[in-house]
Amino acid sequence: MVRKKGSLILCSAFLFVAWNALLLLYLWGRPPIGRLGELGGAEPGGKEAWAAGGGKPGGVNLAGELIRVAEEVEEQFETQKKLLQQIERQRAGWAQQRAVERRESEDASRVKDVAIQQPPRTSGPIKTNMAVGEQKRSQRTGPTAGLGVDSQNPQGSTRDHKATPSSPEPVIPILVIACDRVTVKRSLDRLIQYRPSPELHPIIVSQDCGHAETARVIGSYGAQVTHIRQPDLADIRVRPEHRKFQGYYKIARHYRWALNQVFHTFSQPTVVIVEDDLEVAPDFFEYFRALYPILNADPTLWCVSAWNDNGRDALVDPSRPELLYRTDFFPGLGWMLLKEMWDELEPKWPSAFWDDWMRQPEQRRNRSCIRPEISRTITFGRKGVSLGQFFDQYLRYIKLNTEFVPFIKQDLSYLLKEKYDETFITEVYSATLVKMEQLQQTGTLSGPGPYRVQYSSRESFKVFARTLGVMDDLKSGVPRTGYRGVVSFLHRGRRVFLAPPEGWTQYNTSWS
C-alpha cells in the first residue's frame, strides 16, 4: 500500500513538471511581441505603432493578443495551483494514513512479541471466558489477564516471537500442569497473589485426566487463567513390566501436548512450568524475569529452575536469599524453558520418565541450569504417581523463600559461564580441605569456612552425602545440585563443598 501511494505522488509530481514544460514550450514557440523581424513582431515605441483596434490588413492586434495570452497564462496558473493544492491534500492524507499504519504495525508487533494471542479457530469448539469488552480492550492495548481459552484441541501457527526494542518487557507465561488434584487451588491462589502483571504473566492451566471436580476448581477462576484440556485420555500400551508405570507415560504425553500448545498454538518465546502441587515464593516472578535475559544470552544454559534439591532448612543460608548457582543437574519443579530448546527436545521427547530423560547426557549436552540457594517453590503433593518418593525424607523439609529479593535490579552477569567458572573453581579449591571426621567433631574447626570434603568414587560420594544430610542419588553420574561435580551446602552453619579432586573434566555415567 505504501509503495502504491509513493508511486502516485511521483506520477503527480511528474505531471506537474511536464505541464509547466509544455507551457513554456508553448510560450517560447509563439511569435515574439517585439521588433519587426522575420516573424512580423513589433516592439512598443518602434516604427510600427501598436494597433488599438483593427490594424493594417494582414497586421496583428498586439494589445488584444497580449491580453489573450496573459489570460491564458493566468488560467493555466490557476489550474496548476488547484492541482498543487490537490496533490498537497492527498500527500498530507497519505502521510497521516502512513503514520496510523506505522503505529498499528508497531502495536501489532508489540502484542506479537509480548502477548499470548488467542489461536485462530480452525477445528474443534473454542469457548471463551473473556467478556466482549475485555476482548476489545485486549485488541486495543494488549493481552488481558489470561487467554480465557477453554479448548479441547486449539490450533495455531508459529510466529516470530523474539523480543524487540519496541517490546522491552517479555511475556513469560506460567504453564500449570494439572490432573486430578483439587488442591490446584492452592497453587493458583499463590500465583495470582504474587503475579505482578496479568499481561506479562498469563496463566495457562493444562488439565489431563478429565477430573470433573478439578475442572470446576480451575473454571472458578474465570478469565484470570486459561484452561485447556488434554484431549487424549486413553491408556497407553506399554510393556507388561511397565503397567505399574502407566501414570508416568501419561504425564510425559501430557507435557508434550501442553508445551506444544504454549509454543506452537499460543506462539510464546518461553514458559515457566509448574505442577498443581507447587506453591511459589513472593519473588517467584521477579526471579524468572531477571534470569530470562541470562538464559537467552548464554548457550551453555538450557533452563532456569526455582528449586534447590538440597534446599532443606539446615542446608541453606537463610541470610543469603539472593545467592544463585549454576548446576549440571536438571532440577525441574518450577522451571523456565525457551522455545528454541523445546524445538530441539520435542522431536525426541520420551514416552515416560521425562525428567530423568532430561538428565541424560544426550539431552543435557554439557549445558547447565540456574538454581537458587533458597527454593522459590515447595511441593505439598505427597500423593501422586511417585507414591511419595523422597517426599517424607526430603521434599517436605524444603525451605521456601519468604524474603522478596529485587533480582531485576541486580547484576546477574556473574552467572554467565565464562565469568562463573573462574570464580567458582577458585572458591571451591581454595577452600580448606578437611576430613569428614573434622566436620562432625564439634570444636575441631576454628574458622567460618568454607571447607572442602573430597570424594573420589561413587561409593565415597554416597557415604559422604548421606553423612552430611544431602541427597546422595546420581543421574547419569551427576549429583543433585552438582556443578562440575561439586555440591555446595551449609553444614552446622559453615559453607561446605563436597567436591571431586581438582582438575575435574567430566561426569562418569557408570556412577548412576
Side-chain angles (χ1 to χ4, degrees), residues 52-92:
K56 298 180 180 179
V60 179
N61 187 343
L62 296 177
E65 184 72 2
L66 182 61
I67 292 173
R68 186 182 67 79
V69 170
E71 288 174 347
E72 286 181 2
V73 171
E74 185 177 357
E75 181 180 351
Q76 296 304 325
F77 281 159
E78 206 50 41
T79 301
Q80 294 178 34
K81 181 180 178 181
K82 291 179 180 179
L83 180 60
L84 282 174
Q85 289 174 344
Q86 185 177 359
I87 292 174
E88 181 62 26
R89 285 195 302 270
Q90 191 72 11
R91 188 195 63 78

Side-chain angles (χ1 to χ4, degrees), residues 117-256:
Q117 299 294 321
Q118 181 169 324
R121 181 173 181 172
T122 57
S123 66
I126 296 181
K127 301 176 183 178
T128 178
N129 298 324
M130 198 186 295
V132 173
E134 193 70 12
Q135 287 177 322
K136 292 180 179 178
R137 187 157 58 251
S138 172
Q139 293 171 359
R140 290 195 302 268
T141 62
T144 60
L147 292 179
V149 176
D150 183 357
S151 169
Q152 294 294 328
N153 186 23
Q155 302 291 324
S157 59
T158 303
R159 297 191 298 269
D160 182 20
H161 41 259
K162 285 291 186 182
T164 64
S166 62
S167 57
E169 289 290 315
V171 163
I172 304 178
I174 311 300
L175 173 63
V176 182
I177 300 292
C179 181
D180 58 356
R181 289 190 179 107
V182 294
T183 50
V184 67
K185 177 176 171 56
R186 178 173 170 182
S187 296
L188 293 176
D189 284 347
R190 289 293 177 266
L191 286 169
I192 292 172
Q193 176 185 354
Y194 297 136
R195 177 171 61 173
S197 166
E199 292 79 16
L200 297 179
H201 297 286
I203 298 173
I204 306 168
V205 185
S206 181
Q207 186 188 359
D208 199 358
C209 309
H211 191 248
E213 184 58 30
T214 301
R216 280 193 289 273
V217 171
I218 298 168
S220 69
Y221 288 88
Q224 294 183 92
V225 304
T226 297
H227 185 191
I228 60 177
R229 292 180 171 91
Q230 147 75 311
D232 186 1
L233 304 181
D235 284 343
I236 300 172
R237 295 183 62 182
V238 299
R239 301 193 306 270
E241 62 271 21
H242 273 208
R243 285 174 184 165
K244 62 181 179 181
F245 300 132
Q246 179 76 211
Y248 289 100
Y249 283 84
K250 290 185 176 182
I251 288 174
R253 177 178 66 186
H254 184 196
Y255 262 82
R256 185 176 203 161

